Amino acid sequence: MDQHKDAVIKQETSSGALSTLVTVFFFWGFIAAGNGVFIPFCKHYFHLDQFQSQLIDFAFYLAYYLGALVLYFFATVFNKDIIAHWGYKNSIVYGLLFSAFGAVIMILAVNGNTFPGMLLGLFTVALGFSLQQTATNPFAALLGPPETGAHRINLGGAVNSFGTAIGPIIVALALFGSTKANDDQINSLGLGKITTLYVFVGALFLAAAALFFFSKKLPSGKFETETEKSPKALTALALMTILLIAIFVPIFRSYLVVTEDKALIQEMEMTRFKWLLCGLAIILGTMLVSFLSAKKNANGWGAMKYPQLVLGMLAIFTYVGVEVTIQSNMGALLALPDFGGYTSSQVAPFISMYWGSLMIGRWTGSIKIFEPTRSMRNILLFVVPVVAFAVVLAVNAIAQNDIKPLYWYIVCVTIQVFAFYAAQDKPARTLLIFSLLGIASMLVGIFSTGTIAIYAFLSGGLFCSIMWPGIFALSIAGLGKHTSQGSAFLVMMILGGAIIPPIQGKLADLQSIGIHASYWIPVFCFAYLALFAVGVKGILRKQGIDYDSSIEGGH
């Protein structure tokens, strides 16, 4: 018997439990943002090339996919949902302890002066994050009425974004004693301070684990249920993983070739681009075949028998990809004369505003969980984003960045405010409106230059901001005993952040396209997200699930 419904608070949101839960979101943003400090440092200290230094992010995000895949594999082998058996609360505790173990590995690697060891440490930290995220997102969604689940995840995302905003500043203060490190400071940094930093980080993980373990506010989130056999889903994901490994081997091997032959370099770049496209085709093909096969015969597919979950997996892949690729390629875009010709040290406030845009949207999107009256909600929908925008400017001012070019970005924030009013807290409608605005903003950026184009591309962060919780909540809706398994599948698809950005980057390298026109990639990503918003609403309605109707019965 499925006892899942009894494991959570169904009617009223527990503010005490939720406030404890969202603290873990802060760690994800804080640590991930702090990783940026290690890329230039490791590049100099270990004498790495640019690709090798990027292995830091690659190891970090790869762990999310593999961690979720391993959880699913063990659940299939033992015919038991491990997350459900442990309970959401204990799963988060175990994830924090695993991240603390990763911090220990990091400390040992730093003292051993080994870059591969540091990668292993970061990989282990992220494995813990994978377990935490697999448990935390459905836990937040289920700590109250299902129709406001997306708003609770949004609150976690708001805290996550705050961690992303202040993470680099705190890490810079800890390592360099100032908020803005120059090349000389980075190059002269020793390993001792990194050891101290990760001793502190490991202690924070342990403290958070203790907070969750001893908290009486959080329900266990534990329920016993047998996991439905899903050999077809396991086969599809295993085959996809094997093929992706086969795709990445020649990509990595090509980077080992040292040559100054420009023709050979161009040929290798084109080869890498083709392999990346093959990787994308494998993922899209796996999702499409799985969707059609499960539609014909649901037996053996587990959570993937639900069309909202399979389409949601592709939506998470696309969302993470578009969120990362807009920012990852922005530095090269801003270096163009038509976009200001900014140097690498001058683009910091723009990059900060992009990530700050995510915080602005998530702060605004989490208003609903505080259950304000309709009139108060209308006021907060205007006040909260303005305050959040001011916070982003303040953070940049503290970091000694030039914030003057950002003042008129308030116009884009205002557009987002009207979008929230139009969305009326309806998940599917919100996702559709923000996807369409994402398309519009990218098109404005593509067909213009200068400040208008810069603001248009930056506003992609505003419209990406609420997508994760919306996609997640809509994708796991109605999964019942398959919720944890579905959550693991969704977390796997963070892999999009490792596939889509380099594809845009390779397009930008082609003289016939260039960095400006390469932003058609985000247009296509937002287009799929809009299609998902339309399609999932009809899919859920056929299953008797209508979040929009539930919300309309509120304030």
Side-chain angles (χ1 to χ4, degrees):
M1 179 178 178
D2 183 9
Q3 299 173 358
H4 182 253
K5 294 182 179 179
D6 296 328
V8 295
I9 300 171
K10 296 178 292 185
Q11 299 299 324
E12 296 182 3
T13 299
S14 172
S15 58
L18 190 61
S19 62
T20 302
L21 182 64
V22 297
T23 58
V24 77
F25 283 83
F26 177 84
F27 285 103
W28 303 338
F30 179 84
I31 299 299
N35 282 346
V37 174
F38 296 107
I39 292 177
F41 164 71
C42 289
K43 182 178 180 180
H44 169 79
Y45 191 88
F46 293 105
H47 307 289
L48 309 173
D49 60 27
Q50 183 62 24
F51 171 76
Q52 290 170 326
S53 70
Q54 293 298 317
L55 289 175
I56 290 175
D57 274 342
F58 182 81
F60 195 78
Y61 288 107
L62 179 65
Y64 278 94
Y65 174 74
L66 293 180
L69 184 64
V70 168
L71 279 175
Y72 167 61
F73 175 78
F74 277 101
T76 302
V77 170
F78 294 105
N79 195 29
K80 180 178 291 187
D81 189 328
I82 296 177
I83 299 294
H85 177 69
W86 287 342
Y88 291 132
K89 178 179 176 180
N90 285 338
S91 296
I92 294 170
V93 172
Y94 299 153
L96 287 165
L97 292 175
F98 209 88
S99 293
F101 178 62
V104 172
I105 295 177
M106 187 72 173
I107 293 168
L108 294 175
V110 168
N111 284 277
N113 199 27
T114 166
F115 179 62
M118 293 176 69
L119 291 179
L120 178 61
L122 288 171
F123 179 83
T124 307
V125 169
L127 276 178
F129 284 2
S130 178
L131 175 55
Q132 295 165 40
Q133 194 155 122
T134 302
T136 301
N137 282 288
F139 201 11
L142 297 171
L143 276 176
E147 64 268 20
T148 56
H151 302 294
R152 288 187 291 280
I153 300 176
N154 240 330
L155 178 63
V159 176
N160 175 274
S161 295
F162 183 65
T164 302
I166 70 172
I169 294 178
I170 293 178
V171 171
L173 283 171
L175 297 181
F176 309 113
S178 65
T179 58
K180 198 171 186 180
N182 54 42
D183 291 340
D184 290 337
Q185 287 175 304
I186 293 175
N187 294 339
S188 63
L189 178 64
L191 295 178
K193 287 189 175 181
I194 294 182
T195 299
T196 302
L197 174 65
Y198 266 85
V199 168
F200 176 70
V201 168
L204 283 179
F205 286 139
L206 292 175
L211 173 65
F212 274 80
F213 183 76
F214 292 108
S215 174
K216 296 182 179 180
K217 297 177 181 178
L218 281 172
S220 67
K222 181 184 295 187
F223 57 99
E224 293 294 341
T225 181
E226 290 188 1
T227 301
E228 180 181 326
K229 291 289 186 180
S230 53
K232 294 179 181 178
L234 179 61
T235 301
L237 293 173
L239 182 60
M240 184 180 79
T241 302
I242 293 171
L243 291 175
L244 287 176
I245 292 174
I247 289 296
F248 278 107
V249 167
I251 293 177
F252 280 100
R253 280 183 176 175
S254 68
Y255 279 100
L256 298 177
V257 178
V258 179
T259 180
E260 295 182 359
D261 187 335
K262 292 184 179 179
L264 181 58
I265 292 174
Q266 186 174 5
E267 181 181 348
M268 289 191 299
E269 288 291 334
M270 182 57 67
T271 300
R272 292 169 192 154
F273 178 61
K274 291 178 180 178
W275 281 118
L276 283 170
L277 287 180
C278 287
L280 178 62
I282 288 169
I283 294 170
L284 295 179
T286 301
M287 294 298 102
L288 178 61
V289 171
S290 299
F291 176 80
L292 295 176
S293 298
K295 190 175 182 180
K296 292 180 179 179
N297 184 1
N299 293 331
W301 283 101
M304 289 180 71
K305 69 182 178 182
Y306 293 93
Q308 67 266 34
L309 189 277
V310 178
L311 296 178
M313 290 171 66
L314 187 55
I316 287 290
F317 176 88
T318 305
Y319 152 71
V320 175
V322 72
E323 179 184 275
V324 175
T325 198
I326 292 173
Q327 180 272 328
S328 294
N329 292 284
M330 192 170 291
L333 181 75
L334 294 174
L336 296 177
D338 288 343
F339 289 84
Y342 292 98
T343 64
S344 58
S345 62
Q346 293 174 321
V347 302
F350 297 102
I351 302 300
S352 175
M353 181 53 71
Y354 178 77
W355 292 118
S357 295
L358 295 170
M359 185 183 79
I360 293 169
R362 288 167 180 170
W363 281 22
T364 309
S366 61
I367 291 173
K368 178 74 173 182
I369 66 170
F370 298 104
E371 300 180 355
T373 62
R374 179 179 290 274
S375 59
M376 178 57 67
R377 170 187 168 278
N378 290 336
I379 294 173
L380 291 176
L381 280 178
F382 177 78
V383 172
V384 170
V386 172
V387 171
F389 177 66
V391 170
V392 177
L393 291 181
V395 168
N396 275 277
I398 293 172
Q400 301 174 0
N401 291 326
D402 182 12
I403 60 175
K404 291 181 181 178
L406 301 175
Y407 289 153
W408 284 103
Y409 189 65
I410 187 65
V411 175
C412 298
V413 176
T414 303
I415 293 174
Q416 187 196 50
V417 169
F418 285 111
F420 273 112
Y421 279 115
Q424 299 178 10
D425 290 319
K426 300 178 179 181
R429 179 188 289 188
T430 300
L431 184 59
L432 176 60
I433 290 175
F434 277 64
S435 297
L436 293 175
L437 286 172
I439 295 173
S441 65
M442 294 302 105
L443 290 177
V444 169
I446 290 171
F447 291 106
S448 63
T449 57
T451 302
I452 292 177
I454 293 173
Y455 280 7
F457 288 130
L458 286 177
S459 66
L462 291 171
F463 307 128
C464 281
S465 61
I466 50 77
M467 288 188 172
W468 173 276
I471 296 169
F472 209 101
L474 290 167
S475 300
I476 64 175
L479 265 59
K481 66 180 182 180
H482 296 99
T483 299
S484 293
Q485 186 184 92
S487 177
F489 289 162
L490 291 171
V491 172
M492 288 180 199
M493 302 314 289
I494 289 177
L495 185 65
I499 302 294
I500 293 177
I503 288 178
Q504 183 180 348
K506 294 304 180 187
L507 281 178
D509 288 336
L510 300 178
Q511 294 183 355
S512 59
I513 297 179
I515 184 65
H516 192 186
S518 73
Y519 271 83
W520 277 101
I521 293 295
V523 173
F524 297 139
C525 291
F526 281 122
Y528 172 74
L529 293 170
L531 291 174
F532 172 74
V534 174
V536 74
K537 184 175 180 179
I539 290 171
L540 292 177
R541 184 167 291 168
K542 289 180 180 179
Q543 298 175 15
I545 303 171
D546 192 346
Y547 281 3
D548 289 355
S549 295
S550 298
I551 293 176
E552 287 176 344
H555 294 295

